[in-house]
């Protein structure tokens, strides 16, 4: 089940308060388990109704421990892995600004940009597949 952490922000996301939420509000408002129609709108605003329903039905709680668990990487191992980043310009879960911080902090060989929300595998599968194919070369 999707749990919106901040009810006031949830009302703004769903349009019930009359004001438009900022990207920061939208990013802070969503927990890791989408299943309500509001969450489907945030995670996959440009998806078809059928895809949004699938997303809602299949969503489940995700563990939060990995986000706070320290990891150690080395240049000898992690540094040898070729990396690309697929940026999603219309993402309401991970803002484009935060995405840029992420791929800048972890240098990548190439950044591909999709005009999609958080779930390009549902909303832009052909474009995503083309970028993944290009990245594999």
């Amino acid at each position: 089940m999707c749990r919106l952490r901040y009810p006031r922000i949830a009302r703004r996301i769903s349009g019930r308060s009359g004001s438009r939420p900022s990207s920061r509000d939208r990013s802070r408002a969503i927990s890791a388990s989408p299943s309500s129609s509001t969450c489907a709108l945030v995670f996959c605003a440009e998806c078809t109704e059928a895809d949004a329903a699938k997303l809602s039905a299949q969503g489940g709680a995700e563990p939060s421990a990995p986000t706070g668990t320290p990891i150690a990487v080395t240049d000898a191992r992690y540094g040898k892995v070729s990396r690309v980043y697929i940026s999603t310009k219309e993402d309401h879960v991970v803002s484009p600004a935060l995405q840029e911080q992420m791929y800048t902090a972890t240098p990548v060989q190439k950044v591909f940009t999709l005009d999609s929300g958080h779930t390009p595998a549902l909303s832009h599968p052909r474009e995503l597949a083309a970028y993944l194919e290009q990245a594999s070369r």
Side-chain angles (χ1 to χ4, degrees), residues 20 23 34 39-40 52 57 70-71 89 95 99 111 122 136:
R20 181 157 171 81
S23 293
C39 287
I71 61 168
K89 290 186 347 183
S95 71
Q99 292 178 58
V111 176
L122 291 176
S136 72

Side-chain angles (χ1 to χ4, degrees), residues 4-62:
L4 296 169
R5 292 183 186 151
Y6 305 96
R8 185 183 92 254
I9 296 170
R11 282 191 300 278
R12 291 196 326 227
I13 289 172
S14 65
R16 286 183 269 153
S17 73
S19 64
R20 181 157 171 81
S22 69
S23 293
R24 182 171 180 233
D25 284 345
R26 289 187 302 259
S27 295
R28 287 177 41 216
I30 304 303
S31 73
S33 54
S35 71
S36 73
S37 60
T38 297
C39 287
L41 286 173
V42 174
F43 278 86
C44 194
E46 73 279 16
C47 289
T48 65
E49 285 187 34
D51 284 339
K54 284 180 196 174
L55 178 67
S56 292
Q58 294 175 359
E62 293 184 10

Side-chain angles (χ1 to χ4, degrees), residues 71-84 102 105-109:
I71 61 168
V73 296
T74 65
D75 286 338
R77 299 193 88 176
Y78 184 70
K80 291 183 180 179
V81 176
S82 177
R83 292 176 295 278
V84 299
M102 290 166 36
T106 306
V108 297
Q109 283 72 32

